[in-house]
Amino acid sequence: MSSQPIRALDPKYYTDSAFFEKERQTLLASTWQYASHVSQIPNSGDYFRLEIAGESLFCVRGKKGEIRTFYNVCQHRGHEIVTHESGNTRMLVCPYHSWSYDLGGRLRNGPNLDAVEGLDKGSICLPQVRTDEFCGFIFVNLDPDAKSMDEVFPGVREELREFVPHIDELAPLEYVAIEEDCNWKVSVENYSECYHCSANHHTFVDGIIKPETYRISHVGYTLQHTTECQNLDRMSYPVDPESNPRATQYKSWFLWPGFSFQVYPGNVLNTYHWRPMAVDKVMVYRGWYTIGGEESDVIRGLAEQDRDTTVAEDVRLVESVQRGLKSRGYQGGPLVVDPTGGVMSEHSIVALNNWVREAIDA
């Protein structure tokens, strides 16, 4: 008896606002989410605000250089403490009643608190969110019992340093922010397979990678794309093959559910991260990095090339898929899963779909 093909997720996973709200309460609130790069808060007292799974948070660098993340809510009567997007402060002061907290989140003072009998100021602290600095990138997780990043994404930290030995010296040169009118999973799935690449991404296929060597594997909750670079005389930018043992290789590590490190040939680091906004809207940020954030004509050119080709091509694709998912004529089609793997297989989509079901249907 022949087995049945594996089918894609039912459209309701991408179009039903109730599913999106459930994701915010479960999947997005219990996984590691990208916050920012450490270069955004280099000094003691530097902070920035962010939102994860509908929760307002802020990250701040402490007096000894440690990075902490807190829920952005005063423990007095619930006013937001941080109202600016970023800044520097010696104390965290709630603008409502001037309750003040140190950079470690401990309540220090407030008007007339000494008049409150039995109040132990030392017991009042801002609720903290788990935070991990991962090769210079800050991630947070609302689940206090979640496994560490190294458990969830085994080996990535070490391997990333092999491909980008200078990663600790990097800072963002450019961020490209793209709003896509689709569910975040549509965009993530599009990124996570190259079955569509030869028909849609000619610059990427002909000028950066060698498609016949393209492989996608998954380790832990990562999807890892590997390929050799295109013949050097066909590359769309210069690469010195002798500069590093990994100089002629391309690799990306997608960290479920919404971030990817991507290393282009020549040890060029770039990143994707997805910020779900609504059931049918996602912000996708494309980051490009250089040592110290210094100017680079090559990297600026790569970012422009990528924005004008792969990024623009993908926006058209994912927005068309979202419209199709709303059609009563679509119910979730068969996936092309090639047992040998390779560029013309959608086995990575199977992994993503299983991770969604694991989180949402549990």
Side-chain angles (χ1 to χ4, degrees), residues 6 50 58-59 66 72 87 94 111 145 160 209 229 295 357:
I6 299 172
L50 70 155
F58 67 91
C59 288
E66 67 280 12
N72 188 20
C94 176
D145 299 319
L160 187 56
I209 67 164
C229 73
E295 274 297 333
R357 293 189 184 99

Side-chain angles (χ1 to χ4, degrees), residues 63-344:
K63 291 184 177 180
K64 296 182 179 180
E66 67 280 12
I67 296 173
R68 296 185 179 93
T69 306
F70 299 101
Y71 285 95
N72 188 20
V73 58
C74 182
Q75 299 301 286
H76 176 215
R77 294 203 8 225
H79 195 283
E80 294 172 316
I81 293 176
V82 171
T83 56
H84 298 290
E85 291 304 310
S86 62
N88 180 276
T89 186
R90 295 175 62 186
M91 295 288 288
L92 301 162
V93 181
C94 176
Y96 195 10
H97 298 101
S98 299
W99 280 33
S100 59
Y101 303 81
D102 64 23
L103 299 180
R106 294 175 295 275
L107 178 65
R108 287 307 188 193
N109 215 336
N112 206 28
L113 290 188
D114 292 338
V116 182
E117 186 176 349
L119 176 65
D120 178 11
K121 288 187 292 186
S123 68
I124 299 177
C125 297
L126 298 176
Q128 198 165 163
V129 175
R130 289 190 63 186
T131 305
D132 193 348
E133 181 187 328
F134 197 90
C135 297
F137 294 76
I138 305 169
F139 290 81
V140 300
N141 195 321
L142 301 186
D143 182 359
D145 299 319
K147 293 181 179 179
S148 70
M149 290 191 71
D150 288 315
E151 291 178 278
V152 179
F153 312 121
V156 173
R157 194 189 301 257
E158 295 77 16
E159 193 172 17
L160 187 56
R161 290 188 181 280
E162 290 182 23
F163 276 79
V164 192
H166 53 288
I167 195 166
D168 292 325
E169 303 173 59
L170 296 182
L173 172 67
E174 180 173 324
Y175 273 115
V176 179
I178 305 293
E179 183 175 276
E180 296 178 350
D181 291 330
C182 68
N183 184 268
W184 67 276
K185 296 186 296 299
V186 171
S187 186
V188 164
E189 289 176 6
N190 176 75
Y191 172 84
S192 298
E193 51 93 348
C194 216
Y195 183 50
H196 72 283
C197 288
S198 61
N200 295 279
H201 297 319
H202 300 297
T203 299
F204 182 65
V205 169
D206 296 335
I208 294 177
I209 67 164
K210 190 176 289 184
E212 62 270 25
T213 67
Y214 206 100
R215 295 291 181 271
I216 304 174
S217 60
H218 82 265
V219 180
Y221 285 85
T222 72
L223 291 173
Q224 303 186 14
H225 298 226
T226 57
T227 183
E228 296 175 15
C229 73
Q230 189 51 266
N231 295 333
L232 294 179
D233 59 350
R234 295 177 60 187
M235 288 290 290
S236 61
Y237 63 98
V239 171
D240 178 3
E242 305 300 325
S243 62
N244 180 277
R246 304 284 194 176
T248 61
Q249 298 177 27
Y250 165 99
K251 181 152 188 175
S252 73
W253 300 259
F254 170 76
L255 311 184
W256 171 253
F259 186 88
S260 186
F261 292 106
Q262 188 165 258
V263 181
Y264 274 20
N267 312 105
V268 176
L269 180 69
N270 50 87
T271 59
Y272 273 86
H273 77 274
W274 289 261
R275 191 76 79 213
M277 308 297 289
V279 67
D280 56 359
K281 193 174 297 293
V282 60
M283 289 297 297
V284 184
Y285 298 88
R286 192 82 160 88
W288 295 86
Y289 306 82
T290 59
I291 292 177
E294 294 179 357
E295 274 297 333
S296 166
D297 291 341
V298 170
I299 303 305
R300 288 285 189 191
L302 264 176
E304 182 178 3
Q305 170 186 288
D306 181 64
R307 182 172 63 250
D308 294 343
T309 57
T310 305
V311 171
E313 292 152 2
D314 278 336
V315 171
R316 292 193 294 269
L317 295 172
V318 297
E319 292 187 347
S320 176
V321 168
Q322 186 69 24
R323 292 190 294 270
L325 288 167
K326 295 177 181 177
S327 170
R328 65 184 67 189
Y330 179 75
Q331 298 300 319
L335 296 174
V336 177
V337 181
D338 186 336
T340 65
V343 72
M344 301 303 286

